[in-house]
Amino acid sequence: MFENNVTRRGFVTGAAAVAGLAGLSTIAPGLAGAAPQTNDQHTENEMAPAVGALAMMTFQKIDGTPVYYWRSNRGNTTARNWQATDAFYNALVAWIRDLRSLSSSYGSISYIVSAGFYVNKPGQHGAGTAMDLDHVRWSGGNTISPLDKAHASGTASVRKRYLATEAVCRRRFRYVLDGWYNADHADHIHADFGGMPVRAVKDSESDTKFVQAVCNNFRGSGLAIDGDWGPATTSAFNGLKSALGVTGDPHTSSSVWQGMLSKIATKGFANQNI
């Protein structure tokens, strides 16, 4: 199953790479590419260095934070080379700085674990503009592990932490596919540049399921997480928005949506209801 409202646009590297962190949400129309892909179980061979037209950069850390790979060796802390475009790496830097700030009560981020960035396959991974997030560990001992299907945890605080982490991803990446989206994403959070800029889109299955999961886990709304933005979801979302003190329209304004996501993340990392 693919995201309902994906549009395909040309991929541009140069302008995005020099735009810096501040402009990522506004330069987005030129950064969209192929649709998100399911079956994101990437092999070592698929993540071999890219050869060809796309300019990629190689990294082992994101803004100083190590990025490990556990799919073939759980707990492995061997440094490895990852690849992405310059523009996507800039977005990753903005994302991890957001994550550090919004989860600062947990301490610094010791490392993250990924299932892949550039991968030799069609779609955003093949364009070097996607991330699959498996695990985050903070210096204070807290973790969140999509790899262990944390979205389905029987512990409410873990589900809130998962949603908080996802909310931070949604601040910087338009398409974020989670464990509620479909079974292929039950063990990681996928984030990519497709369909930018960020906003809460009612006819987006992934956005709707995220909103429904947030309303259920933070407010006990009892919604079916079905991706259908109907009257019940509208009512629950309006209640969530009001409780968070959000003004403006998160459906059309990136800044309003990003601010709302920050408030959701803050509540989730603090294990608080809304």
Side-chain angles (χ1 to χ4, degrees):
M1 181 182 297
F2 296 91
E3 179 65 317
N4 292 341
N5 62 344
V6 170
T7 57
R8 293 180 180 269
R9 301 176 175 89
F11 181 75
V12 178
T13 58
V18 299
L21 302 179
L24 284 169
S25 65
T26 59
I27 60 175
L31 289 173
Q37 302 292 315
T38 56
N39 300 316
D40 285 343
Q41 305 305 311
H42 312 314
T43 67
E44 294 279 359
N45 288 338
E46 288 176 320
M47 290 186 286
V51 177
L54 285 177
M56 299 281 178
M57 65 167 291
T58 300
F59 61 96
Q60 295 181 343
K61 300 178 180 180
I62 299 173
D63 197 39
T65 299
V67 186
Y68 301 132
Y69 180 73
W70 284 3
R71 291 295 173 125
S72 58
N73 183 9
R74 180 68 181 247
N76 182 31
T77 57
T78 302
R80 66 163 297 135
N81 290 331
W82 305 95
Q83 286 194 302
T85 66
D86 286 349
F88 194 75
Y89 181 79
N90 287 343
L92 291 169
V93 170
W95 163 74
I96 205 162
R97 290 178 181 177
D98 286 349
L99 186 59
R100 288 175 186 145
S101 176
L102 291 165
S103 64
S104 59
S105 63
Y106 289 3
S108 60
I109 299 175
S110 301
Y111 59 82
I112 68 170
V113 179
S114 177
F117 297 88
Y118 163 78
V119 181
N120 185 16
K121 62 183 292 186
Q124 293 281 330
H125 279 292
T129 55
M131 167 182 70
D132 287 344
L133 182 64
D134 277 2
H135 188 92
V136 182
R137 182 177 180 85
W138 287 267
S139 62
N142 284 307
T143 63
I144 192 61
S145 187
L147 182 60
D148 294 321
K149 302 181 180 180
H151 74 288
S153 171
T155 303
S157 62
V158 173
R159 298 193 303 274
K160 288 176 183 174
R161 192 180 308 154
Y162 179 103
L163 286 163
T165 304
E166 180 177 352
V168 180
C169 291
R170 288 179 176 273
R171 281 183 46 80
R172 299 295 175 177
F173 306 107
R174 171 67 190 95
Y175 283 126
V176 179
L177 310 180
D178 63 14
W180 288 282
Y181 181 71
N182 64 14
D184 288 314
H185 295 88
D187 64 354
H188 65 282
I189 296 174
H190 170 99
D192 71 46
F193 262 174
M196 294 280 274
V198 297
R199 65 242 191 256
V201 179
K202 292 182 181 180
D203 64 355
S204 161
E205 181 181 352
S206 71
D207 290 3
T208 301
K209 286 183 173 179
F210 169 73
V211 165
Q212 290 168 338
V214 168
C215 289
N216 286 356
N217 283 280
F218 287 87
R219 292 176 59 81
S221 298
L223 298 171
I225 302 180
D226 57 7
D228 179 15
W229 196 299
T233 298
T234 296
S235 177
F237 183 73
N238 288 340
L240 174 70
K241 181 182 168 186
S242 177
L244 289 170
V246 174
T247 59
D249 187 356
H251 303 300
T252 59
S253 170
S254 293
S255 61
V256 172
W257 180 227
Q258 286 175 319
M260 187 170 177
L261 290 166
S262 292
K263 292 182 176 184
I264 292 168
T266 298
K267 292 289 189 180
F269 289 126
N271 188 27
Q272 294 175 347
N273 291 327
I274 298 171

